[in-house]
């Protein structure tokens, strides 16, 4: 079974509007962390935001916020006031468990295009 | 002052050759990784090292051999290169090994390997 599912291969948004990128995950471990990364066309992987499974509040980092719905196992990324520079691939990732099992499992990614 | 640097950035080589990709991190992190990103942009972990010890080996062919001379370096050597090895290889590092900690992985800029 897929551990991380990103159902939107591509999304587009008008500049200055908000956009939500979907991510659902599958784990039976009570301890896990969820991450979002951005990969622009230049290829580097840029960390955006993190949510821990025990965090009570949704994470926010500037224009990025994570809509964490634990019961639904979803961790959607919300980008507010989109900018042209937000055009990129976005990856949701999960790290499971405590005590040494420390790999990030990535979703297939969503390509976001921001239109002027 | 690049945090995670890998060389070379591009590598074009013929089938059957042996090549190496080097990675160094100056973040003082304990854990380093190699990820492979295929032509569909899917990112999959290959190896993880913690303090120079191999802790994750994800069913990677024996032709791939990581080497960690110290915790700041993790090199990847590939023997007998095949066409299917063409991909972007990312080195990454993180601090800590626990799922719920904000131990995001910092990625190098990637090495685009093309086997002809």
């Amino acid at each position: 079974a897929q551990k991380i599912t990103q159902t939107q291969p591509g999304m587009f948004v008008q500049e200055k509007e908000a956009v939500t990128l979907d991510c659902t995950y599958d784990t039976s471990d009570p301890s896990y962390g969820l991450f979002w990364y951005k990969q622009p066309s230049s290829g580097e992987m840029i960390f955006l935001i993190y949510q821990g499974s025990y965090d009570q509040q949704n994470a926010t980092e500037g224009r990025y916020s994570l809509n964490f719905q634990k019961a639904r196992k979803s961790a959607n990324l919300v980008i507010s006031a989109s900018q042209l520079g937000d055009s990129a691939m976005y990856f949701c990732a999960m790290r499971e468990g405590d005590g040494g099992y420390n790999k990030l499992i990535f979703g297939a990614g969503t390509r976001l295009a921001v239109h002027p | 002052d690049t945090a995670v640097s890998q060389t070379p950035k591009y590598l074009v080589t013929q089938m059957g050759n042996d090549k190496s990709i080097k990675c160094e991190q100056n973040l003082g992190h304990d854990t380093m990784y190699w990820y492979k990103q295929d032509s569909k942009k899917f990112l999959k972990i290959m190896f993880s090292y913690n303090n120079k010890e191999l802790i994750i080996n994800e069913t990677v062919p024996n032709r791939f051999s990581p080497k960690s001379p110290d915790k700041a370096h993790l090199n990847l050597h590939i023997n007998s290169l095949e066409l299917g090895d063409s991909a972007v290889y990312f080195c990454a590092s993180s601090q800590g090994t626990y799922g719920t900690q904000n131990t995001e992985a910092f990625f190098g800029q990637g090495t685009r390997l093309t086997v002809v």
Side-chain angles (χ1 to χ4, degrees), chain B residues 24-86:
Chain B
E24 175 182 4
Q25 54 96 2
N26 62 6
L27 298 165
H29 288 166
D30 293 330
T31 307
M32 295 186 72
Y33 315 80
W34 278 107
Y35 281 85
K36 178 180 180 180
Q37 186 173 41
D38 63 23
S39 58
K40 295 184 179 176
K41 300 289 189 183
F42 188 67
L43 271 155
K44 193 171 185 327
I45 190 162
M46 300 172 69
F47 302 103
S48 173
Y49 271 71
N50 183 258
N51 275 320
K52 302 193 299 174
E53 288 192 25
L54 178 67
I55 53 173
I56 292 174
N57 181 341
E58 288 279 313
T59 59
V60 178
N62 291 340
R63 300 182 293 105
F64 291 79
S65 53
K67 283 192 171 49
S68 183
D70 54 62
K71 76 173 194 177
H73 294 84
L74 180 62
N75 304 324
L76 182 66
H77 188 75
I78 316 169
N79 290 329
S80 303
L81 278 153
E82 300 177 357
L83 293 177
D85 298 331
S86 295

Side-chain angles (χ1 to χ4, degrees), chain A residues 57-116:
Chain A
Q57 307 226 353
N58 285 345
T60 59
E61 287 285 349
R63 294 186 299 109
Y64 304 109
S65 60
L66 202 152
N67 184 359
F68 181 44
Q69 298 194 32
K70 195 170 182 176
R72 296 177 63 183
K73 294 188 175 178
S74 75
N76 299 339
L77 176 71
V78 181
I79 306 174
S80 62
S82 298
Q83 301 172 356
L84 296 178
D86 294 334
S87 295
M89 283 287 288
Y90 288 82
F91 293 95
C92 179
M94 176 174 66
R95 174 180 286 126
E96 292 179 294
D98 285 329
Y101 201 65
N102 54 346
K103 66 180 182 182
L104 282 177
I105 303 164
F106 284 86
T110 295
R111 185 174 297 280
L112 176 67
V114 180
H115 295 175

